[in-house]
Structures are given as C-alpha cells and as structure tokens.
Amino acid sequence: MSKIDFISIPKLSFHKEKIIHFLRHYADNEGYKISHIQYNFVDKSAMLKINNQHLKHDNHTDIITFDYSVKKSIKAEVYISVEMMNENAKLFGQTVDYEAVRLISHALFHCMGYSDKSNIEKSKMREMEDRFIRDVSRETISRPATPYYKLFVDLCQAFSSIYFLTTDNGQAPEAQAAKPQASSGEAVL
C-alpha cells in the first residue's frame, strides 16, 4: 500500500490528491513504488536543528530528505522549511505553491536516485521539477498575476542553464551525468 502524508502543510491552493497522483505517476514511470513518504513542513528553527543534528551543518536549508528506500520501494521522511520555501518563491519570482510543489518533487527525485551535486545533475533535476510542476499546475495551482511571468521564468531557466553549464570552478562540465543510486538511510539535500 502506498502512503503519502503532508504534516503541518501551510494553506496552499493546490489539491493534495493531484500532487499524490503525480508523485505515484513519476515513481511508477521509472519502476519505483512509493511505500511511504512523509512530508513535514517545519519552521526555520526546527530545520536548523535537524540540519545540525543529522547532517552537522550549521545553516538553514529549504529541504532535507531522509531516504530509507530499499531497491525500488521508496520510503522517506522529508522536512521542508516553510520560511525558506516562501523566501525562494520571492527570490525566483514564482508563487509559493510552485515552490512547494518543486520541493515536494525534489525529494521524490532524490529517492529515485537523482542527485544535484554537479551542474549537469542540477540542470537535470531542475528540468524534472519543472515538468512535474507543469503536470500538476494544469489543474491545481493558481497562476501568478503578471502576464510576463512565463517570459521571466523562461529567461531565468535559460540563464541558469547557461550559468550551470559554463561555470564549474573554471572547468568544463562533465561529459555525461551518471544517475547515482541512493543508499539506504542516506540524507540528501
């Protein structure tokens, strides 16, 4: 049985049922089954404490995924910082709903073995998140008020793709990104 929980989720306009549908759909398309994913929406101090205790990082982050998956059965505990989610939405000129869906999908993709350590991996992860958001938003997410939003997003994506692919400490990007396998109990950002 597949179980997906959203704990302390802030008021957002998307329908959880649609998010759950697409989480299962994306997992199924790559041969994974979701056993249980618990998404916990927490405040800044709770996220800092989790980040420090479990990862020994003394900084605020937007998401931490504890991946307990075994083979193709996904089981994870996810923590999403509500404050960072709101800050990122403003920073990237998108709605909080879009950023919430991006983070929700980001955790799933980590559990499916995708990484975002290198610039090529970041670019691939961003493409997958954007596709997930498009799929979900067709029916569920309120769109930004500005008519120039799509142009803005397209320009940001083009710029970030160029930036990520051309700046890697002065070195050329990797020739090909490998899809790493997540190990059991591994925490990933």
Side-chain angles (χ1 to χ4, degrees):
M1 183 175 151
S2 176
K3 185 174 181 188
I4 301 170
D5 296 318
F6 296 95
I7 310 299
S8 298
I9 190 166
K11 184 172 174 40
L12 301 169
S13 67
F14 66 75
H15 302 281
K16 289 189 286 188
E17 297 77 23
K18 289 291 183 184
I19 301 289
I20 290 169
H21 166 78
F22 282 108
L23 288 168
R24 289 180 178 139
H25 174 76
Y26 273 72
D28 289 346
N29 278 349
E30 293 205 25
Y32 287 86
K33 294 293 178 197
I34 296 174
S35 172
H36 186 206
I37 301 178
Q38 181 176 306
Y39 290 95
N40 300 280
F41 290 79
V42 299
D43 65 19
K44 196 172 193 170
S45 63
M47 184 60 104
L48 183 59
K49 184 177 179 181
I50 293 165
N51 203 13
N52 192 295
Q53 285 180 341
H54 297 281
L55 300 175
K56 307 298 182 223
H57 297 161
D58 193 24
N59 63 310
H60 191 217
T61 189
D62 54 358
I63 185 168
I64 297 175
T65 302
F66 293 100
D67 183 13
Y68 308 114
S69 302
V70 177
K71 296 183 182 177
K72 295 277 189 167
S73 179
I74 296 173
K75 185 174 184 182
E77 193 176 351
V78 180
Y79 293 88
I80 295 174
S81 167
V82 174
E83 284 93 345
M84 187 69 90
M85 180 177 72
N86 290 322
E87 289 172 24
N88 285 347
K90 287 179 188 172
L91 179 66
F92 297 116
Q94 62 187 5
T95 67
V96 174
D97 286 352
Y98 271 59
E99 184 61 17
V101 173
R102 179 178 306 284
L103 292 170
I104 289 166
S105 68
H106 186 89
L108 174 69
F109 297 142
H110 272 309
C111 293
M112 291 168 46
Y114 290 95
S115 180
D116 57 357
K117 298 289 185 205
S118 75
N119 292 331
I120 288 175
E121 291 170 333
K122 284 178 189 174
S123 181
K124 175 67 177 169
M125 180 77 82
R126 184 55 60 137
E127 285 175 28
M128 294 172 66
E129 293 166 354
D130 289 342
R131 190 172 68 237
F132 190 95
I133 290 169
R134 277 192 306 273
D135 286 344
V136 169
S137 69
R138 285 186 192 122
E139 301 174 36
T140 65
I141 299 178
S142 62
R143 302 228 175 2
T146 173
Y148 299 105
Y149 178 74
K150 183 174 178 355
L151 175 63
F152 174 77
V153 169
D154 290 344
L155 289 172
C156 288
Q157 289 173 343
F159 175 75
S160 67
S161 294
I162 292 167
Y163 177 79
F164 285 134
L165 294 175
T166 60
T167 60
D168 193 12
N169 297 329
Q171 299 175 356
E174 299 86 350
Q176 186 174 14
K179 182 180 171 189
Q181 295 298 314
S183 61
S184 180
E186 177 182 7
V188 289
L189 298 176

